[in-house]
Amino acid sequence: MPCQVSIFLENQPGHLEKVTAVLRRQLINIRAMTLSSSSYGWGILNLLLDKPEKGCEVLNAAGYSAVLRKIVAVRMPDRPGGLHDLLEHLAKAGVNIKNAYATLMPKEGAAILVIDAENIEQVEILIDEAGIKKLTREEIYQI
Amino acid sequence: MSIYWQKEMETMNRSDLARYQAEKLRETVRQATKSSFYGAALKQRGLAAEDIRSLADIDKLPMTTKEDLRQHFPYGFLSVPRDAVIRLHCSSGTTGNPTVIFHNRHDLDSWANLVARSLFSAGARPGDVFQNICGYGLFTGGLGFQYGAECLGALTIPAGAGNSRRQIQLMKNFGTTVIHAIPSYLARLHEAFREMGADIARDTKLRLLVIGAEPHTEGQRRRIQDLFGVKAFNSYGLSEMNGPGVAFECECQNGLHLWEDAFIAEIVDPETLEPVPEGVVGELVMTTLDRQAMPIIRYRTRDLTRFLPGDCPCGRSHRRIDRITGRTDDMFIIKGCNVFPMQIEKILMAFPEIGSDYLIVLETVNGVNEMRIKVEVSPNWFTGEMEPLENLRRRIQEEVRDEILLTPEVRLVEPGALPKPEGKAVRVQDLRTREGE
C-alpha cells in the first residue's frame, strides 16, 4: 500500500522549516502536505513524498518522531463537483474519512484525494468493492 | 570466591560495629578539635573527645551545615598542618564562597578503599575494564572512581564526560566491562550507539553499569537496564563525605549499604532535627569516622532518604538507605503546594510513551504562577495520530495532579528538544517573577 510520512512537531516558529531542510538535503520531493495542530502546542505534519521510505528514514535519523502511515489515494476529475461525485461514492460505500487532503495532477486534468483513516485496510476494501479506482504507489509518488 | 572486599568489616555484627563506631567517633572528635571551627564550637559547649562514651553521645555534638563550610572557607575546618594535605576538591561557588574539602594521604587511601569495596559489592572484580564517564577536575566522581577502581585492580579508563562517539570507540578498543556515568547521560550514550549502528551486546563486553551523582527513580534505573541489557547499580556520595563510596548497592539491588565503619549516618526531621523512626524519610546527617585532614561532624547533607528495615540477603551488616528521594533544598512551592521533582519523575517514568528526559518549568503567566512539564514523545510510540498523543497528555496531567494536588500544563515536545547538559541534568527551571502567587 502507498504511504505518507507523519511527523510529530512542536508548534514553534522554524520547526517546519527544519523538516523541509532535511528533505531538501536528501533531494526528496513533497507532493502534498497537511498540518494539523492540537490546542496544546504541538501538531502532526503529513507529507506525501516521492520517496516516503527514505524520507521517513532520514527524518528519524535527524531525531524526529516520524512514521510511515498507509493511505489510499483515489482519482477525481478536476472540475466543479468532482470531489462531490467522489464523496458520494465513498459515502455510499460507508467509508469514514478521518483525515484527507487533495492535490492536483494538472497534466491529466485530474485531482487526487488522499485518505488517511484508522482502519485503512478496511477502507481499501470498501473502495475496491464500490469499483472506485485507486492509484498505485508509483502513480502517487510520481504525481 | 568471596563476595566481600573486606569480609570482616562488611559483616561485623551490629554491637561490635556500634563499639567500633563509638571508638572512631571519639578519635574523630579529638582530631576535629584541632581545627579552628570545631575547636571553638566544642569549647563553647564545654565538650571534649572524652565526653563521647557511646554512640548515643553523638547528639551532644553540634550539627554542621554547608553554610558553616562556606563561612570558614578555606582553612577553618583543616585539622592537620597545611603541608600535610595532598588533595583538595571544591564546589563551584557560584553563589558566594565555595566549599572545599582537603585530604591527606591516609584520607585518599581510605576513600579509594571504600570505592573499591563499593564496586566489588556491585559485582566488579579485579581485571575488569572500568570506563569512568564523568567529569574529572574538581568534581569528585572523576578522581574518586579513578582511584577506587585502580584500588580494586580494574584497568581504569579516565574517559571523562561527553563525546559519545569516543566513549563507544574506547569501549570497543579496550573491551570495557564496567561503566560509571550519571543516569541522564546514559540515555544519550545509547542514542549514540544507535546512530553509529553499533550494538551493545554484539560490539562490546559491557556487563555492569554504575550510576550516581544524580538522584533518579527506580523507573529511570529500569529504563537504563533495559536500554543496555545489563544491571545498573546505584551509587551515593557527596563531596563533603569524600564523594562516591559513601553508600552503594550490592548485587541484591535493594537499597544502598552505607559504610558505617567510615561514617555515622543519622536521619532526622529537617524541621525539628530530631531523629525519625526507622523507615521514615528524613534528612541524612553524616559524620566522617576515618578522615584526618578534615573531619566533619554531623553534616546536614540536605539529601532526603530513609533507613530500610530488615537485613540484606548479601550478609553485609551495614544498614541500607533508600535511593535519594530529593533534597531539602530542591523542593519548590507553587500555589501553596510543596513539590519535589522526584515525585514528578516517578510518575513520568511509568509512561513508556515518553523519553527519559523531562523539564519542569515554573513561570508567571498573567500574574499567576504556573507549572509546565515538558516531556519528549518517544519515536517508538508515535503512530501519526492525534488521539493517542492527546490521551497521553491528559493521563500525565491527571496522574501528576493526583500526586501533587495541582494541575500542571503538560507539553509534549520533539525528541531531543530538551536541554542535555554534559553535567548533572537540570530538571527544574524557575522563571517565576515576584508578581506571581
Side-chain angles (χ1 to χ4, degrees):
Chain A
M1 266 177 101
C3 289
Q4 67 179 22
V5 179
S6 297
I7 304 136
F8 174 84
L9 274 187
E10 280 170 68
N11 210 339
Q12 295 281 333
H15 282 230
L16 190 53
E17 181 261 335
K18 283 190 190 128
V19 171
T20 51
V22 172
L23 298 174
R24 183 182 62 183
R25 263 201 304 282
Q26 300 290 332
L27 302 176
I28 293 168
N29 203 1
I30 301 170
R31 319 307 321 189
M33 66 162 273
T34 60
L35 181 59
S36 38
S37 301
S38 81
S39 30
Y40 299 100
W42 51 269
I44 292 175
L45 173 65
N46 296 311
L47 295 174
L48 196 61
L49 303 175
D50 60 347
K51 287 170 266 183
E53 285 82 10
K54 187 174 178 201
C56 189
E57 193 189 308
V58 298
L59 286 169
N60 277 323
Y64 287 96
S65 283
V67 288
L68 287 169
R69 267 180 80 75
K70 290 175 186 167
I71 48 151
V72 172
V74 287
R75 191 190 300 257
M76 54 190 165
D78 181 17
R79 59 163 169 74
L83 176 62
H84 175 76
D85 294 348
L86 175 63
L87 290 178
E88 216 171 44
H89 283 294
L90 293 175
K92 257 187 224 152
V95 173
N96 189 28
I97 298 174
K98 191 170 148 199
N99 179 31
Y101 48 102
T103 188
L104 287 174
M105 303 170 88
K107 273 179 259 170
E108 300 175 38
I112 66 165
L113 182 69
V114 179
I115 300 166
D116 170 8
E118 249 169 271
N119 46 350
I120 193 74
E121 278 88 1
Q122 190 58 29
V123 170
E124 193 179 27
I125 293 168
L126 290 174
I127 286 176
D128 286 343
E129 284 172 352
I132 301 167
K133 195 176 172 317
K134 304 189 309 279
L135 276 78
T136 63
R137 287 167 62 95
E138 291 66 33
E139 283 172 315
I140 295 169
Y141 299 161
Q142 280 150 35
I143 299 166
Chain B
M1 198 164 122
S2 172
I3 62 161
Y4 308 109
W5 178 247
Q6 292 167 291
K7 184 172 185 205
E8 203 181 323
M9 198 52 98
E10 290 171 53
T11 60
M12 186 184 283
N13 72 55
R14 296 291 313 172
S15 55
D16 288 348
L17 190 53
R19 266 194 297 279
Y20 181 85
Q21 285 186 306
E23 178 56 40
K24 295 287 276 184
L25 177 61
R26 197 155 40 239
E27 252 175 57
T28 292
V29 172
R30 193 174 297 125
Q31 179 68 7
T33 312
K34 296 175 190 167
S35 72
S36 63
F37 176 82
Y38 286 119
L42 296 177
K43 193 174 172 190
Q44 197 190 357
R45 285 171 179 73
L47 279 172
E50 289 61 41
D51 296 316
I52 306 299
R53 291 186 195 88
S54 77
L55 205 46
D57 290 328
I58 194 166
D59 67 5
K60 294 177 181 169
L61 298 166
M63 289 194 182
T64 308
T65 64
K66 192 166 191 82
E67 203 40 47
D68 293 327
L69 294 178
R70 283 208 177 112
Q71 278 175 9
H72 299 269
F73 177 87
Y75 297 121
F77 280 79
L78 193 60
S79 301
V80 296
R82 212 305 278 127
D83 57 8
V85 170
I86 59 170
R87 168 101 65 83
L88 68 79
H89 284 279
C90 73
S91 70
S92 57
T94 40
T95 55
N97 269 348
T99 54
V100 60
I101 305 294
F102 297 106
H103 302 273
N104 69 7
R105 190 168 305 281
H106 165 87
D107 298 339
L108 291 183
D109 290 346
S110 163
W111 178 14
N113 178 63
L114 289 177
V115 174
R117 186 200 287 174
S118 299
L119 290 170
F120 199 94
S121 76
R125 292 293 179 268
D128 264 314
V129 180
F130 182 91
Q131 188 165 329
N132 193 19
I133 308 184
C134 74
Y136 275 64
L138 294 169
F139 174 55
T140 54
L143 290 178
F145 271 106
Q146 179 73 32
Y147 281 67
E150 286 175 7
C151 175
L152 173 76
L155 168 54
T156 310
I157 308 174
N163 198 341
S164 301
R165 284 177 171 268
R166 194 182 58 187
Q167 300 290 358
I168 292 169
Q169 208 53 54
L170 286 168
M171 288 176 73
K172 286 180 172 177
N173 288 346
F174 300 108
T176 299
T177 53
V178 182
I179 278 180
H180 164 245
I182 56 174
S184 59
Y185 177 72
L186 285 171
R188 270 198 299 154
L189 182 65
H190 183 266
E191 185 62 19
F193 264 97
R194 210 178 57 88
E195 281 166 15
M196 289 171 74
D199 182 83
I200 293 160
R202 187 191 64 209
D203 301 326
T204 79
K205 293 184 175 156
L206 187 69
R207 64 178 195 87
L208 198 154
L209 292 168
V210 172
I211 52 178
E214 205 175 63
H216 57 280
T217 54
E218 181 61 31
Q220 183 89 295
R221 182 243 289 277
R222 289 226 186 90
R223 279 178 174 225
I224 289 170
Q225 294 191 149
D226 289 346
L227 285 177
F228 283 84
V230 299
K231 282 190 170 185
F233 295 88
N234 193 357
S235 153
Y236 171 71
L238 63 162
S239 62
E240 294 86 347
M241 297 292 125
N242 302 339
V246 173
F248 223 86
E249 277 182 327
C250 66
E251 289 183 85
C252 303
Q253 283 188 319
N254 55 356
L256 297 85
H257 290 279
L258 191 144
W259 302 126
E260 294 184 272
D261 56 321
F263 304 98
I264 293 174
E266 303 166 82
I267 294 179
V268 304
D269 180 320
E271 301 290 326
T272 64
L273 302 183
E274 290 299 318
V276 295
E278 188 185 56
V280 173
V281 172
E283 180 179 348
L284 184 63
V285 172
M286 304 269 301
T287 301
T288 63
L289 292 181
D290 196 28
R291 215 159 66 183
Q292 296 173 350
M294 191 167 160
I296 299 182
I297 295 166
R298 304 191 83 195
Y299 181 67
R300 294 188 59 183
T301 64
R302 300 191 283 189
D303 285 326
L304 296 170
T305 184
R306 61 190 182 115
F307 282 122
L308 295 175
D311 297 328
C312 183
C314 77
R316 289 181 182 83
S317 54
H318 298 232
R319 280 182 299 176
R320 290 162 300 136
I321 55 168
D322 203 351
R323 58 180 59 252
I324 303 301
T325 55
R327 287 175 60 81
T328 56
D329 50 0
D330 65 15
M331 183 190 84
F332 56 86
I333 301 175
I334 183 155
K335 290 184 172 168
C337 300
N338 295 357
V339 181
F340 288 101
M342 281 291 121
Q343 288 177 285
I344 293 171
E345 176 174 319
K346 205 167 149 185
I347 292 165
L348 298 179
M349 290 305 125
F351 284 92
E353 298 94 331
I354 58 176
S356 298
D357 286 304
Y358 65 94
L359 184 67
I360 301 165
V361 183
L362 309 175
E363 56 191 343
T364 311
V365 181
N366 300 327
V368 180
N369 287 338
E370 301 287 355
M371 178 166 93
R372 174 184 289 177
I373 302 171
K374 292 183 174 183
V375 293
E376 293 179 357
V377 175
S378 165
N380 309 332
W381 285 79
F382 178 61
T383 61
E385 290 166 295
M386 285 281 206
E387 290 86 349
L389 291 172
E390 176 40 31
N391 288 340
L392 171 67
R393 187 200 65 80
R394 210 192 53 245
R395 281 189 296 136
I396 294 173
Q397 187 179 47
E398 286 170 359
E399 289 204 18
V400 172
R401 186 199 57 210
D402 291 349
E403 168 76 24
I404 65 172
L405 309 175
L406 173 82
T407 306
E409 182 193 328
V410 174
R411 179 64 66 92
L412 306 179
V413 301
E414 293 157 22
L418 295 175
K420 300 201 171 30
E422 294 287 318
K424 294 186 190 189
V426 176
R427 302 301 196 190
V428 182
Q429 227 175 38
D430 196 343
L431 308 172
R432 287 177 289 185
T433 56
R434 225 174 295 164
E435 55 165 330
E437 295 281 299

